[in-house]
Amino acid sequence: MSTTILLTGGAGYIGSHTFIALREAGFEPVILDNFANSHPVVLERLERISGRPVLLERGDVLDTAWVADVLRRHRPAGVVHFAGDKAVGESVAKPLKYFHNNIGGAVSLLRAMTTVFEDGSAPALPTLVFSSSATVYGDPASVPILESFPLSHTSPYGHSKLVIEEMLASLRRASPAWRVGVLRYFNPAGAHPSGLMGEDPADIPNNLMPFVTQVAVGQRPHVNVFGNDYATPDGTGVRDYIHVQDLAAGHVAALQALLSKGESFTVNLGTGRGVSVLEVIRAVERACGKTIPHVFAPRRAGDVAQCYADASLAKRLLGWEAKCSLDEMCADAWRWQSGNPNGYRG
Ligand code: WQD
């Protein structure tokens, strides 16, 4: 069987770390990316880390005929679909962009994967890992969150993830040959231990970890803590921060399960531990050896008090569990940020 795996959006934050983990597991990943949400410099970093050239197909996942041709030429054993937009706030302001790029992009990829080529052949057995998000749980009634919890959306971004999950379920009912792994990420954070790759927000970071490390490196004056009156141990928001390296390992485990057992699944990828905003700030202070100024600000619209995973299903089905600690996550994030104050823009 082919060991080729196609990574749509593979030059992005999660995709690039998954690329390395796949190569280390003996797969041959190919990156499909238009660099709308990533930077070409990542390719050089991937080559430095893995010691080998990177196979890139530069283009848009919305170009169905081109994607089908990529699949014909590479004949991957499986596809991991990362490509899409992921800023919750932006999705509220620009819903059509998210429906077009995320839902349209998924439809385009799935249609390409079901193409029958002129010579009568088709891409390998349709095997897909989909990058979903804990945001499909909306505002959970309790924590930790199980995969069986009710699903809802609180933003067009979350809505797009939910629609794609539902599309995949319909596809599997119509064509049982599809092997699909849906991965619901909690809060990805951290960076590659080499310090050569990490999270590189395009402008002001929405997410907490990159904002805190930008304050630590002196790019921003202080952290705004959005609310300290939540019903949580220290009053600040509690989330399940998972090291991007653990997340990458989760994708390898998902592909190995699909290719060996063939059973489809939907699992949480989280640590099962809830961590507050103040705990993150203190952990980054330990990593960088500096005090990180922070001020308490009003709650951010749409935020929930607590969101963390029950990660036992992924352990049972995939033999996967998160291994990295919050301190390891912050140490790796700090090494990346301090070595690359402007991310990949140099
Ligand atoms: C975490 C906590 C904030 C910034 C989002 C998406 C989710 C996924 C991850 C894509 C919250 C607080 C944050 C700041 C703060 N994205 N915070 N000051 O909102 O849990 O999840 O990103 O898949 O889909 O919803 O992550 O990092 O924005 O916030 O106090 O400057 O940090 O209130 O409690 P979130 P986040």
Side-chain angles (χ1 to χ4, degrees), residues 232-262:
T232 61
D234 66 15
T236 65
V238 168
R239 296 293 186 276
D240 187 331
Y241 298 95
I242 176 170
H243 198 303
V244 64
Q245 291 291 93
D246 280 327
L247 209 52
H251 288 72
V252 175
L255 277 166
Q256 288 170 333
L258 289 175
L259 295 171
S260 60
K261 290 182 256 175

Side-chain angles (χ1 to χ4, degrees), residues 109-301:
L109 172 65
L110 297 172
R111 291 182 66 227
M113 290 178 72
T114 47
T115 299
V116 177
F117 302 117
E118 278 124 42
D119 62 7
S121 68
L125 257 183
T127 301
L128 177 80
V129 171
F130 173 56
S131 163
S132 192
S133 166
T135 199
V136 300
Y137 295 114
D139 186 355
S142 62
V143 283
I145 298 171
L146 287 162
E147 288 84 354
S148 57
F149 273 24
L151 304 180
S152 66
H153 53 84
T154 55
S155 70
Y157 164 74
H159 193 176
S160 72
K161 291 295 187 182
L162 204 45
V163 168
I164 297 166
E165 285 198 18
E166 290 164 347
M167 281 185 348
L168 292 171
S170 298
L171 199 55
R172 282 176 45 213
R173 282 191 290 271
S175 313
W178 274 84
R179 304 180 294 189
V180 176
V182 174
L183 305 181
R184 291 174 179 161
Y185 304 167
F186 278 68
N187 288 59
H192 190 267
S194 66
L196 292 172
M197 292 195 317
E199 194 168 3
D200 182 23
D203 43 30
I204 299 172
N206 295 303
N207 292 141
L208 178 66
M209 185 67 83
F211 200 105
V212 174
T213 55
Q214 286 189 8
V215 171
V217 81
Q219 282 198 335
R220 300 190 188 281
H222 60 262
V223 178
N224 296 299
V225 178
F226 297 143
N228 66 333
D229 58 350
Y230 285 104
T232 61
D234 66 15
T236 65
V238 168
R239 296 293 186 276
D240 187 331
Y241 298 95
I242 176 170
H243 198 303
V244 64
Q245 291 291 93
D246 280 327
L247 209 52
H251 288 72
V252 175
L255 277 166
Q256 288 170 333
L258 289 175
L259 295 171
S260 60
K261 290 182 256 175
E263 296 297 314
S264 295
F265 51 80
T266 294
V267 294
N268 292 334
L269 290 190
T271 66
R273 289 188 307 276
V275 171
S276 77
V277 176
L278 291 179
E279 287 175 306
V280 169
I281 291 173
R282 281 195 289 274
V284 177
E285 288 181 333
R286 289 193 294 273
C288 69
K290 306 178 192 181
T291 299
I292 293 179
H294 57 276
V295 299
F296 292 113
R299 292 182 176 192
R300 181 175 64 178

Side-chain angles (χ1 to χ4, degrees), residues 45 195 199-201 210 213-215 217-220 333-346:
R45 305 293 175 90
E199 194 168 3
D200 182 23
T213 55
Q214 286 189 8
V215 171
V217 81
Q219 282 198 335
R220 300 190 188 281
W334 172 243
R335 187 179 306 110
W336 153 252
Q337 185 76 75
S338 55
N340 303 270
N342 299 310
Y344 294 114
R345 284 173 295 283

Side-chain angles (χ1 to χ4, degrees), residues 27-43:
F27 289 99
E28 191 43 63
V30 174
I31 290 177
L32 183 156
D33 210 306
N34 64 357
F35 298 114
N37 282 329
S38 54
H39 201 288
V41 165
V42 171
L43 304 178

